[in-house]
Amino acid sequence: MIILITGASHTGKTCLAQKLIEKYKYPYLSIDHLKMGLIRSGNTDLTPLSDDEELTDFLWPIVREIIKTAIENNQNLIVEGCYIPFDWDKDFSEKYSENIKFICLVMSENYIKRNFDNIKKYENVIENRLSDDFTIENALEDNAKILLSAKKHNKNVVLIDDEYKIDIDF
């Protein structure tokens, strides 16, 4: 099984991936790690500050083929990152897509407003982020954009509203 985890920045994608790794013992691919490897090795002129859409257009074809290879080899894999397009399923035949589970994490506006200090407090729970300019305005805008895109593409979301408690079983 392939598990795709996406969502806005700071929604807990990496934390959820870690929980699933521990629970299912599946290997893990961070699209951010792939991005930085390609950038640092000089295989692209894109930068970490490039537009997310540009990065998605560059990274998704690579990630898509990794997913296909894992399915063909009957391997499990958790793929996590914000560079998964919402129309990802158009790239897979039924033979492939029946082996893929999609999870999109979204924080509600109310959750962000009530819990922004905790969101910042736990931003390094799995990985040490370099200092960023993450603000409540960024969080509200990014989560609203992700929710709108998910709805536009008829994708379900895991809405974080009252408390941050995500428990997913497959």
Side-chain angles (χ1 to χ4, degrees):
M1 176 185 315
I2 308 299
I3 302 170
L4 303 178
I5 303 171
T6 195
S9 180
H10 290 71
T11 54
K13 298 178 298 292
T14 308
C15 185
L16 176 58
Q18 183 65 41
K19 287 179 182 180
L20 294 174
I21 290 165
E22 292 168 7
K23 184 173 187 172
Y24 294 107
K25 311 295 187 231
Y26 289 0
Y28 162 75
L29 171 66
S30 164
I31 302 175
D32 278 340
H33 293 171
L34 176 62
K35 170 188 76 175
M36 292 309 300
L38 291 164
I39 289 170
R40 288 180 171 168
S41 65
N43 283 291
T44 179
D45 292 330
L46 296 173
T47 72
L49 300 176
S50 294
D51 179 78
D52 281 352
E53 198 170 307
E54 275 185 300
L55 286 163
T56 299
D57 290 346
F58 178 71
L59 294 165
W60 179 245
I62 299 165
V63 173
R64 177 190 68 217
E65 297 309 315
I66 291 170
I67 292 168
K68 287 179 181 177
T69 302
I71 292 170
E72 290 162 357
N73 291 336
N74 200 30
Q75 294 175 297
N76 299 310
L77 182 63
I78 297 167
V79 179
E80 172 268 319
C82 63
Y83 306 107
I84 299 170
F86 281 98
D87 61 350
W88 63 268
D89 45 349
K90 74 173 176 38
D91 293 328
F92 298 97
S93 68
E94 185 177 339
K95 169 187 160 190
Y96 291 103
S97 60
E98 65 189 14
N99 292 290
I100 302 172
K101 301 293 182 195
F102 177 78
I103 302 166
C104 178
L105 302 178
V106 175
M107 292 177 175
S108 72
E109 180 179 335
N110 288 332
Y111 181 85
I112 294 167
K113 287 178 177 178
R114 286 191 321 265
N115 297 286
F116 187 73
D117 289 341
N118 280 336
I119 295 168
K120 287 290 289 179
K121 178 180 174 182
Y122 292 107
E123 70 183 355
N124 292 317
V125 71
I126 299 296
E127 60 187 351
N128 288 325
R129 296 171 182 260
L130 298 177
S131 177
D132 64 28
D133 296 326
F134 185 69
T135 65
I136 192 167
E137 292 80 18
N138 297 134
L140 291 167
E141 182 181 329
D142 290 350
N143 280 272
K145 180 180 169 187
I146 294 293
L147 183 58
L148 188 64
S149 293
K151 286 181 178 181
K152 177 182 172 189
H153 290 92
N154 203 27
K155 298 290 189 270
N156 291 328
V157 299
V158 174
L159 185 64
I160 302 157
D161 191 30
D162 285 334
E163 63 179 311
Y164 195 97
K165 184 178 179 186
I166 299 173
D167 190 22
I168 295 176
D169 289 309
F170 296 102

